[in-house]
Amino acid sequence: MRQMPPEYYKQLEELQVMDFVIVELTLYLDTHPGDMDAIRQYNEYVKNRKAFVKQFEKEFGPLTSFGYSYSKYPWQWKEAPWPWQV
């Protein structure tokens, strides 16, 4: 497994924080569907996450497979570590 730079781990942790907030807002909105402020927060986090992931993958390679992430040549998905291995 190749060694990743410290920035990789820092950015991966930032992504995990975003994902946590999005999950928590989703759970909240399941029981408070009319909370416009929460919907705005959710949409803002989703927008920021998409931009963050795009930049992360450009620098470090794909986070997911199954059609959610692009790959450079040669095929990058075989490159370790995979996000769940760190």
Side-chain angles (χ1 to χ4, degrees):
M1 180 180 339
R2 70 181 169 147
Q3 182 66 20
M4 300 304 285
E7 189 62 24
Y8 172 87
Y9 298 100
K10 181 178 180 246
Q11 289 186 26
L12 191 60
E13 186 174 336
E14 288 178 42
L15 181 60
Q16 291 168 336
V17 168
M18 284 187 244
D19 286 344
F20 177 82
V21 172
I22 290 169
V23 167
E24 290 297 309
L25 284 167
T26 299
L27 294 173
Y28 174 80
L29 285 164
D30 284 347
T31 58
H32 300 80
D35 188 333
M36 191 60 183
D37 288 333
I39 293 170
R40 283 188 191 113
Q41 286 179 347
Y42 173 85
N43 288 334
E44 188 66 24
Y45 269 92
V46 169
K47 180 178 116 186
N48 291 340
R49 184 190 186 281
K50 286 182 181 204
F52 189 91
V53 166
K54 184 177 182 178
Q55 183 58 41
F56 182 94
E57 291 184 328
K58 184 177 180 182
E59 187 172 346
F60 300 113
L63 283 166
T64 60
S65 188
F66 310 110
Y68 296 108
S69 298
Y70 293 98
S71 179
K72 294 178 188 171
Y73 181 85
W75 180 247
Q76 290 178 297
W77 189 243
K78 66 178 181 56
E79 299 296 321
W82 289 297
W84 58 87
Q85 291 179 310
V86 295

